[in-house]
Amino acid sequence: MFDKILLAVGLTSGLYLVRNLYTMLLVLPDEAAQGMIYRIMFFHIPSWWTCFLSFLVAGIASAVAIRSKSNRADSLAVAATEVGLAFTFVGLATGMIWAKIIWGIWWTWDARLTWAFITALTYAGYLMMRNMIPDPSERLRVTGVLNVFAFASVVICYKAIDWWRTQHPGAVMSFRTGGGNIDPAMEGMTYHNFIAFLLLCVVMVTLRLRQEETLREIEGLRRLAYSR
Amino acid sequence: MDQRNFTYMFYGFAAAWLILAIYVVSLVSRGRKLQDQLETLKRTLSQEKL
């Protein structure tokens, strides 16, 4: 039953993404200054929101895991981090392609981009570090602390456009500016794609969580086999 | 400019879909491998019991 629900959510997110693709390509007009390239933002912005949310869930799960020594919470932290990292790569790739047209360069070391890069590196480091610690309880504690503190880089990345003068555009969404910086239809499209990404993210995290549980079962059985 | 704009927009869309598709495929294949590993291990352990 749960598998069917998961499949239904996955299919819904896929269909929602296709529907959004139709709207952004055939319904919404080109942007006055940027032309058609601005549509990349419909993937770029939601992917960053999704990864930030995943990292928040991962940070909270890690904190719970450390406090209650919960393997399940630790598994959720890994799952959310890995899926969040996939969305981070989407954000980085789409941002670079947009920058090549609008700025004429693929990358610049301004505060927002630098912190985005640091965020990706930090979470990739977390995942790599997990493979280096064989003892499950030590792995939970050490990497859990890293995951909790890693969220600071997400906050800095999010606020970088407010704290420093950056080449990266400032906030445009009405919940940050109070409105007037973006056409409501374009803003709505961003939210639509965010919902689709969020649904996809839930499916991915659930699948990854199951794998982590299976991995723990395998580790347990191996230990049992060796102890005989 | 418009042609280049369109090409890069296509690259952007393709990159987003491709990264997510590759991740989903890797997730599914990893899940299958883990399930196989678990079943093999369970089988081996139950045979040892006998």
Side-chain angles (χ1 to χ4, degrees):
Chain A
M1 181 64 185
F2 186 72
D3 279 354
K4 280 182 185 167
I5 295 173
L6 206 62
L7 185 68
V9 176
L11 283 174
T12 308
S13 77
L15 288 173
Y16 203 5
L17 280 169
V18 172
R19 173 255 177 213
N20 290 346
L21 209 56
Y22 168 80
T23 312
M24 66 180 80
L25 288 174
L26 299 172
V27 178
L28 289 176
D30 287 352
E31 207 258 349
Q34 298 183 24
M36 61 179 78
I37 194 78
Y38 89 97
R39 289 182 176 86
I40 284 183
M41 292 301 112
F42 298 137
F43 285 92
H44 179 71
I45 299 171
S47 65
W48 280 110
W49 287 347
T50 311
C51 82
F52 286 169
L53 213 61
S54 289
F55 293 147
L56 177 66
V57 169
I60 293 169
S62 280
V64 171
I66 295 165
R67 199 179 154 77
S68 58
K69 294 187 174 58
S70 160
N71 281 332
R72 195 156 172 79
D74 186 49
S75 298
L76 176 63
V78 187
T81 303
E82 199 182 285
V83 173
L85 199 59
F87 280 99
T88 305
F89 288 135
V90 173
L92 286 173
T94 50
M96 284 169 73
I97 292 165
W98 175 85
K100 180 64 185 162
I101 288 291
I102 300 298
W103 299 340
I105 46 171
W106 293 101
W107 188 266
T108 181
W109 293 103
D110 84 341
R112 170 53 85 81
L113 275 72
T114 305
W115 276 103
F117 187 63
I118 291 170
T119 304
L121 282 185
T122 310
Y123 284 103
Y126 162 82
L127 292 174
M128 282 188 249
M129 196 190 250
R130 289 190 67 88
N131 293 328
M132 292 173 195
I133 307 172
D135 179 47
S137 60
E138 195 188 346
R139 185 169 58 210
L140 182 153
R141 204 165 34 84
V142 174
T143 59
V145 171
L146 171 64
N147 207 344
V148 171
F149 281 99
F151 193 71
S153 74
V154 172
V155 176
I156 298 171
C157 181
Y158 183 74
K159 294 296 288 177
I161 49 172
D162 302 323
W163 291 342
W164 297 288
R165 195 182 300 167
T166 58
Q167 185 157 345
H168 187 283
V172 289
M173 292 294 152
S174 56
F175 68 86
R176 288 188 76 179
T177 61
N181 286 31
I182 185 171
D183 184 273
M186 293 172 183
E187 185 170 8
M189 186 71 248
T190 313
Y191 294 135
H192 278 299
N193 241 17
F194 175 53
I195 294 166
F197 272 3
L198 216 52
L199 290 174
L200 190 64
C201 179
V202 168
V203 175
M204 286 170 163
V205 169
T206 312
L207 285 176
R208 186 64 187 86
L209 181 64
R210 272 190 191 171
Q211 288 177 10
E212 203 58 30
E213 300 283 291
T214 312
L215 205 61
R216 274 180 209 282
E217 210 178 334
I218 290 172
E219 276 180 2
L221 286 174
R222 275 197 186 132
R223 249 177 273 130
L224 187 74
Y226 287 133
S227 67
R228 275 186 185 176
Chain B
M1 178 65 182
D2 258 6
Q3 181 55 44
R4 200 159 165 259
N5 223 331
F6 176 78
T7 310
Y8 276 75
M9 183 192 74
F10 173 77
Y11 289 160
F13 281 30
W17 280 80
L18 210 66
I19 291 168
L20 293 177
I22 289 170
Y23 183 65
V24 168
V25 169
S26 80
L27 210 57
V28 171
S29 75
R30 200 179 351 166
R32 277 192 194 142
K33 272 182 202 160
L34 282 173
Q35 212 57 44
D36 286 348
Q37 255 182 53
L38 182 66
E39 268 152 36
T40 312
L41 208 57
K42 274 180 179 170
R43 224 178 303 129
T44 314
L45 281 170
S46 65
Q47 277 169 0
E48 273 180 19
K49 255 186 200 172
L50 292 171

